[in-house]
Amino acid sequence: LDLNDNPDLTGGIDVLIQLTNLRYIFLHNTGVGGTVPLDWGGMTNLEQFTLYNTLLTGAIPPNGTVAPSIPSGLCSLSLDYLWADCGGNPLNPTVECGCCTQCYTPPTPSPTVSQVPTISLMPTVECNLGKKERGDAIRERLNATLNGLTPAAEGASEDASEGAAEDGEAPDAEADPPYDDPSDPRSRSLRWIDSVDAAALCPDDPNFVQRYALALLYYSTGGDGWKRCSSAAAAASAVADTATTAAADDGVLDDCSEGEDARFLSGEGECGWYEVTCDLEGNVISINIEDNNLRGTIPPEIASLSHLRKLALERGSLSGPIPSSLGLLRELTELDLDYNQLTGEIPPELAGITSVGEGVDPDDAQEAPPSKLSIVDLNHNLLTGGMDVLAELPQLRFVQVHNNPLGGTVPEGLGWGGTLQTLTLQRTRLSGTMPPSICAEVVSNGGRLAHLWADCSSSPLDDDGDDSEPWDEPKIDCPCCTKCYSPTAAPTSSPTVSAMPSISAAPTYICNMDPEERRIGMMNAVRPFTGADALEDIASAQGNAWNWVLNDDGRASSLCPVSTDPADPASGSASSASSAAAAAAARIAQRYAIATLYFSTGGDMWALCARDGIGRRTDCPGRERFLSRANECNWAGVACDDEGRITRIEFEANNINGTLPSEVSALSSLSVLSLERGHLRGPLPPSLGQLKQLSKLDLDYNALTGTLPAELAMATNLKTLDLNANRLNGNLDVLGDMKRLVFVQVHANGFNGTVPESLGELIDLEVLTFHRTRISGPVPSSVCALRSSPPSVGDDVDVDNGGGGKLEHLWANCKGDPPQVDCPCCTKCAS
């Protein structure tokens, strides 16, 4: 309910307490009066309430014994924002408020729109600016910070700006961002952050430009038309909420349930917006938006996010060029813009190569620090020009530029860094010979390059797309390519230009094995947990983990598959060979599974103990980093038994993102899996049921969705299930089949249905919390019978019941008249 800046709006506000679905109430700068109602206890959805600069009052008796005018019921809601006229004379404020997050001193006379309240000396600080002053300050801040990034500024001459500065004037208007065009995304972003944004940041706030840049990304990429987490979808959902509750529960409406914590342009901190990740200091380090109907262009102002490490805007309809300003992002390690309609050349600025102005000595140009880009994923666009700039990126590991009209030849410098693992060049206009420096990096030649794909078959690409007539020579002569394509046909299974390099008999290969034999042996070890297609998907977590364990693992020489061929002298007897092969396969599968967990949960963005070589260094006190050459049992958060089998994985508040991979089922000795307080999304993998030793599953405070898989009951040793504060739904029936449960927390989720009668069979149960869910109906008497003793006088229930079991904590939504859950034996009731 947004009614602020209406000075002629009068009367009391008692009616508000009947609108129990309200989340936001903005009544500041109005003429409402009277006192603040006492009974706000039912407003459990309320998050923000502003009532400063009004005629509301509340006298405080001299003895201070009467309830304050902001009642305790409102304070108990712990609102994100509660702003009132509680400033001024601390002995006699207009409104007393012991829990307000912001206090104002009301002006005299009565409030009008033009009069802005001043800020009292409270611990929090507000802008203390009038509306026009704040707007001017915002524009000044943006112009100063973003100068040179916006399209208008890029086209303005330096001379014009310098001349204006010497005269003490602002630069020419043509050099300013086009804020005055109401249809321009910059104008829309300015209006939003100036007048609409509920956060109302001051222009000098450290995160102000960051928040504006993300809003500009939203408007520049058609955010109102996004499939998930757009602000327009939020408005549509709010309008239809009561009429389409069932549809919303089925996912028909965009409720952001599969994204991060909040919609774009919501009043929450931008670090919680959909697919935005920040570091511990609140700086945006990752934007990862895939298949969300992105349209429009990438704004150059994105370069103002100077801490950005990952920019992924995949599978949309983005057009226009890749902004040259991205070269200013010296922390950027991953650029993923595949499956769009981007045009122009790959900007040389990505490598710090900038063109100098006319008359400027190139020797005077400042050299940029080396780029940290290691992943460049630009396939399936309309990019032209050459790819020489990629040879100037010394840390490249993964390059996909296929399905673009890029031309010229493959630059030799791409092979000089020694870090390349994937290079895909098929379906382009590149021609010539694959440089020897790149061939030298192919795995079969002792390097790391596992995937080298190009147009090295002998079919042409005529102007009309006809490839019926064979060529005598391929477009790219590549005797070392791992996969060859014709320009319009499917890839061949192996290069057709010449034979693959022969393997030396000398024992110089890893494990003293033929590389192909080793690859097949290792694949046999991981195939029970991951399909071949996923292993070949070099953009997936599984593909990354497979490539790492096969080619990059510093411990590779100790992870050798064992032959079971009786003809192999090294295999020994059939029984010993089988036993040795099984043990070797288990070691390989374990290392692969824990690596898959790393990649699937955004390990490169972890706050602690991320791997080396990603362009940043995280702390890792007392333990080895993930993906180090050390035994995985010594990696942070991992513990093993005496046989070297992983038994525990525990991380809390480590900025874990992404999904929980099914491959954890390969860790057959795992007893504890605890990944708390992160941003995990997606469903619980059914494969968790295969973990027969699992006794504790702790995934609370994430964003998991879906239902509790029935297969979870197969984890027959599970005693602790801690899943509170997620977005799970469905019923709780499967819990009744998990007979050894002791501790169950599933509150603060979307679960529905009734309390299963079968929960009464969990005779070891000590804790069960399912408040703040949609569970309704009576708690079965069999569950009440599990109580360790009847409710005491201090318990938040009205009827004594239960006794004789071990259940000490039973929490449900049993407040209200009538209550959502009828529970005479609960130890704590919520509403």
Side-chain angles (χ1 to χ4, degrees):
L1 183 64
D2 191 358
L3 303 175
N4 63 280
D5 291 314
N6 283 288
D8 295 328
L9 181 66
T10 59
I13 63 172
D14 291 7
V15 67
L16 296 181
I17 61 176
Q18 301 178 44
L19 307 177
T20 55
N21 286 321
L22 281 174
R23 295 174 59 200
Y24 308 100
I25 305 175
F26 303 127
L27 294 178
H28 55 275
N29 293 331
T30 64
V32 296
T35 59
V36 178
L38 292 176
D39 185 13
W40 291 84
M43 305 290 288
T44 55
N45 295 308
L46 195 60
E47 300 174 11
Q48 299 179 17
F49 191 9
T50 64
L51 58 157
Y52 61 88
N53 203 10
T54 67
L55 299 180
L56 290 164
T57 60
I60 301 174
N63 60 10
T65 59
V66 179
S69 57
I70 297 290
S72 59
L74 188 55
C75 285
S76 68
L77 298 179
S78 300
L79 304 184
D80 294 333
Y81 297 98
L82 180 54
W83 299 356
D85 291 330
C86 46
N89 184 350
L91 298 179
N92 187 27
T94 303
V95 175
E96 182 188 8
C97 181
C99 61
C100 279
T101 61
Q102 186 72 64
C103 278
Y104 291 78
T105 300
T108 302
S110 59
T112 63
V113 174
S114 61
Q115 292 174 313
V116 179
T118 59
I119 307 303
S120 68
L121 298 178
M122 295 291 288
T124 53
V125 178
E126 173 61 352
C127 306
N128 202 22
L129 295 171
K131 184 173 181 64
K132 184 178 186 305
E133 291 174 303
R134 182 174 180 271
D136 292 342
I138 287 174
R139 184 178 293 229
E140 182 179 352
R141 173 80 188 277
L142 294 179
N143 283 343
T145 307
L146 304 179
N147 184 32
L149 294 180
T150 63
E154 284 183 305
S157 69
E158 284 186 280
D159 291 339
S161 297
E162 291 175 359
E166 290 173 359
D167 295 336
E169 299 174 356
D172 190 290
E174 292 182 0
D176 289 338
Y179 296 130
D180 296 328
D181 180 358
S183 64
D184 191 280
R186 291 158 188 84
S187 177
R188 299 181 69 187
S189 304
L190 176 65
R191 290 200 305 273
W192 174 80
I193 203 165
D194 184 10
S195 305
V196 181
D197 184 9
L201 295 185
C202 297
D204 59 354
D205 189 287
N207 286 354
F208 185 86
V209 175
Q210 171 175 285
R211 196 168 175 89
Y212 168 82
L214 289 173
L216 180 55
L217 176 67
Y218 175 87
Y219 286 116
S220 295
T221 58
D224 287 347
W226 286 2
K227 293 193 293 185
R228 292 180 298 279
C229 297
S230 70
S231 62
S237 177
V239 170
D241 184 61
T242 55
T244 57
T245 301
D249 290 344
D250 293 336
V252 176
L253 292 176
D254 172 13
D255 63 356
C256 229
S257 60
E258 296 184 0
E260 293 294 336
D261 295 336
R263 299 180 180 279
F264 256 68
L265 307 193
S266 71
E268 300 185 27
E270 64 275 8
C271 293
W273 289 356
Y274 175 66
E275 295 293 7
V276 173
T277 304
C278 294
D279 60 19
L280 297 179
E281 286 73 42
N283 302 303
V284 173
I285 58 174
S286 173
I287 302 172
N288 183 24
I289 303 175
E290 180 178 359
D291 190 23
N292 202 26
N293 198 34
L294 271 66
R295 299 175 179 272
T297 60
I298 303 172
E301 291 87 342
I302 202 77
S304 64
L305 305 175
S306 59
H307 295 83
L308 195 64
R309 301 169 192 160
K310 177 177 181 177
L311 178 61
L313 306 172
E314 307 174 69
R315 297 181 182 275
S317 301
L318 294 175
S319 57
I322 299 173
S324 60
S325 62
L326 294 185
L328 299 173
L329 296 172
R330 308 315 293 173
E331 299 298 319
L332 193 66
T333 62
E334 180 174 348
L335 180 62
D336 191 351
L337 306 174
D338 60 2
Y339 290 95
N340 279 290
Q341 299 171 21
L342 298 170
T343 56
E345 300 184 0
I346 302 174
E349 287 82 0
L350 287 182
I353 304 172
T354 57
S355 57
V356 297
E358 184 178 354
V360 177
D361 188 344
D363 293 335
D364 294 336
Q366 292 184 348
E367 183 177 352
S371 171
K372 296 180 181 179
L373 269 174
S374 61
I375 298 175
V376 175
D377 194 359
L378 303 175
N379 59 279
H380 288 84
N381 276 285
L382 302 172
L383 298 172
T384 56
M387 50 183 292
D388 289 354
V389 60
L390 300 182
E392 304 295 330
L393 302 173
Q395 298 186 32
L396 277 182
R397 295 186 296 110
F398 179 101
V399 178
Q400 287 195 153
V401 292
H402 59 273
N403 288 79
N404 277 288
L406 293 167
T409 58
V410 182
E412 184 175 4
L414 268 176
W416 290 346
T419 59
L420 207 56
Q421 300 170 11
T422 294
L423 178 60
T424 62
L425 310 172
Q426 72 274 14
R427 308 285 166 79
T428 66
R429 296 175 181 172
L430 293 164
S431 60
T433 301
M434 189 64 66
S437 61
I438 295 179
C439 283
E441 294 300 314
V442 175
V443 169
S444 59
N445 291 328
R448 298 182 173 185
L449 187 52
H451 305 276
L452 179 57
W453 301 352
D455 292 330
C456 43
S457 71
S458 54
S459 293
L461 178 61
D462 295 336
D463 292 338
D464 58 0
D466 180 14
D467 64 343
S468 58
E469 297 182 5
W471 266 358
D472 293 332
E473 298 293 337
K475 287 183 66 179
I476 294 182
D477 183 6
C478 184
C480 60
C481 278
T482 60
K483 188 172 285 188
C484 278
Y485 289 73
S486 63
T488 58
T492 60
S493 57
S494 60
T496 57
V497 178
S498 63
M500 293 291 289
S502 59
I503 306 300
S504 168
T508 57
Y509 296 106
I510 298 174
C511 299
N512 287 335
M513 298 177 71
D514 180 294
E516 182 62 14
E517 180 186 354
R518 174 176 172 267
R519 186 189 71 81
I520 292 174
M522 294 187 69
M523 180 169 283
N524 289 336
V526 304
R527 278 289 300 276
F529 312 101
T530 303
D533 290 343
L535 295 177
E536 288 297 320
D537 182 359
I538 53 182
S540 69
Q542 290 77 10
N544 273 279
W546 169 243
N547 185 58
W548 176 81
V549 78
L550 181 66
N551 301 311
D552 295 336
D553 186 3
R555 201 175 179 80
S557 60
S558 63
L559 290 173
C560 301
V562 175
S563 172
T564 57
D565 185 359
D568 186 348
S571 67
S573 66
S575 60
S576 64
S578 177
S579 177
R587 289 195 300 271
I588 293 168
Q590 172 171 287
R591 196 148 172 103
Y592 163 76
I594 196 69
T596 302
L597 178 68
Y598 176 88
F599 286 110
S600 186
T601 59
D604 287 352
M605 298 298 172
W606 285 1
L608 297 173
C609 301
R611 63 174 169 166
D612 282 323
I614 58 173
R616 68 186 184 100
R617 182 81 172 175
T618 58
D619 292 333
C620 196
R623 298 301 301 273
E624 297 289 342
R625 298 178 179 281
F626 258 64
L627 305 197
S628 70
R629 66 179 302 157
N631 189 299
E632 62 272 17
C633 294
N634 297 322
W635 291 355
V638 178
C640 296
D641 60 17
D642 293 339
E643 304 298 323
R645 295 171 298 202
I646 292 178
T647 58
R648 304 174 72 93
I649 302 173
E650 297 177 278
F651 280 107
E652 182 174 357
N654 198 32
N655 198 34
I656 288 178
N657 286 272
T659 58
L660 189 62
S662 62
E663 284 77 7
V664 295
S665 64
L667 308 175
S668 58
S669 296
L670 192 65
S671 62
V672 175
L673 178 59
S674 179
L675 304 174
E676 304 177 73
R677 298 182 182 274
H679 305 280
L680 288 175
R681 58 187 185 275
L684 290 169
S687 62
L688 290 174
Q690 300 175 28
L691 297 173
K692 304 303 182 184
Q693 303 303 315
L694 189 65
S695 63
K696 179 179 180 180
L697 180 61
D698 190 352
L699 304 172
D700 61 2
Y701 293 96
N702 279 288
L704 296 168
T705 55
T707 62
L708 295 178
E711 293 83 353
L712 202 57
M714 298 167 57
T716 53
N717 198 46
L718 195 61
K719 298 177 180 178
T720 297
L721 183 63
D722 195 358
L723 300 175
N724 63 280
N726 276 283
R727 296 169 180 170
L728 299 167
N729 53 52
N731 58 53
L732 301 179
D733 293 354
V734 67
L735 298 182
D737 298 327
M738 304 165 72
K739 304 304 183 185
R740 302 191 67 180
L741 282 175
V742 175
F743 181 101
V744 178
Q745 287 195 154
V746 292
H747 60 272
N749 276 288
F751 291 118
N752 52 35
T754 59
V755 182
E757 180 80 30
S758 57
L759 290 183
E761 301 174 16
L762 306 182
I763 59 175
D764 294 321
L765 196 62
E766 298 177 5
V767 174
L768 175 61
T769 65
F770 55 92
H771 56 289
R772 293 177 60 196
T773 68
R774 298 176 183 172
I775 298 291
S776 60
V779 172
S781 58
S782 60
V783 176
C784 284
L786 298 176
R787 280 294 312 278
S788 57
S789 61
S792 64
V793 176
D795 284 337
D796 193 11
V797 292
D798 298 324
V799 180
D800 289 352
N801 200 354
K806 300 179 180 179
L807 186 57
E808 296 183 5
H809 301 278
L810 178 58
W811 297 5
N813 289 344
C814 44
K815 273 188 177 179
D817 187 16
Q820 180 178 316
V821 175
D822 183 8
C823 184
C825 58
C826 279
T827 61
K828 188 175 182 65
C829 283
S831 58

